[in-house]
Amino acid sequence: MVNNIYPNNSEIKSQLNLANDDLIRLLQSLSCAKYKILIKEPSNTTVSSSDYFELNSKFIDRMSWIRVPLPPVDERKNVVENVGKDRRYAIDACIVRIMKSRKVLPDQQLVAECSEQLSSMFKPNLKAIKKQMEDLITRDYLERDQDNQNLFKYLARTNNLVSYDLLFLVFI
């Protein structure tokens, strides 16, 4: 704050070396929440890059310590993506484990057994199971029978660096 010029959002960001999302959360909690430690211009509830801030010299609280909560982070999207990825790995591991023991299995029976085994962890989507079956075909873990397209065969892999059976142990 020099010559009554108050820092804006971008100046504060460059001085604190924070990510934009973190800075917005921090400034919002300091200027728009219960304790208004910073005064914001314009005085609305959203923080934008053109807003200016100054220290609230009139701020007084009876408590010697105050806790300024940060607004919650919207991590739901990341969590949903990670859960989807983990479920795909679990489906892959289940299919490979079933096919490793059976060698040859019809389409519907493989889907049913996979659903049954995964039901203790989550309710598997049949489309997701079929999608992972097709993915395992492209990665040369399974193949369709030449005569009967509804029959799957397990392809033994000897030079496999990542064992899906071992990978599945992570999820248990």
Side-chain angles (χ1 to χ4, degrees), residues 99-166:
M99 290 304 292
K100 202 171 195 180
S101 65
R102 301 285 174 84
K103 305 294 184 216
V104 176
L105 209 58
D107 180 353
Q108 293 301 316
Q109 190 174 352
L110 178 58
V111 171
E113 283 191 38
C114 191
S115 295
E116 183 181 327
Q117 285 187 16
L118 292 172
S119 65
S120 64
M121 293 171 43
F122 61 93
K123 186 175 186 272
N125 183 354
L126 297 180
K127 286 184 181 179
I129 294 173
K130 290 190 178 208
K131 182 180 177 200
Q132 290 311 115
M133 288 166 53
E134 292 299 325
D135 187 49
L136 288 171
I137 289 172
T138 60
R139 291 187 290 164
D140 295 329
Y141 281 89
L142 301 177
E143 73 175 359
R144 291 188 183 270
D145 187 49
Q146 300 293 335
D147 301 327
N148 185 358
Q149 290 293 309
N150 290 330
L151 202 62
F152 285 96
K153 292 180 183 178
Y154 177 70
L155 299 175
R157 305 232 354 189
T158 56
N159 59 355
N160 190 8
L161 296 177
V162 177
S163 173
Y164 282 94
D165 296 335
L166 294 175

Side-chain angles (χ1 to χ4, degrees), residues 43-127:
S43 61
N44 54 15
T45 57
T46 60
V47 175
S48 68
S49 61
S50 62
D51 293 346
Y52 288 91
F53 298 90
E54 73 175 288
L55 188 64
N56 185 359
S57 60
K58 297 177 184 174
F59 177 77
I60 298 173
D61 195 64
R62 284 185 253 146
M63 304 289 286
S64 58
W65 291 87
I66 60 170
R67 184 177 201 109
V68 180
L70 288 174
V73 179
D74 186 25
E75 293 182 358
R76 183 166 176 78
K77 183 179 178 183
N78 293 339
V79 169
V80 168
E81 288 175 7
N82 289 340
V83 167
K85 191 185 306 181
D86 291 345
R87 287 184 178 183
R88 284 191 298 275
Y89 289 141
I91 292 170
D92 281 351
C94 184
I95 292 170
V96 169
R97 193 173 49 254
I98 291 168
M99 290 304 292
K100 202 171 195 180
S101 65
R102 301 285 174 84
K103 305 294 184 216
V104 176
L105 209 58
D107 180 353
Q108 293 301 316
Q109 190 174 352
L110 178 58
V111 171
E113 283 191 38
C114 191
S115 295
E116 183 181 327
Q117 285 187 16
L118 292 172
S119 65
S120 64
M121 293 171 43
F122 61 93
K123 186 175 186 272
N125 183 354
L126 297 180
K127 286 184 181 179

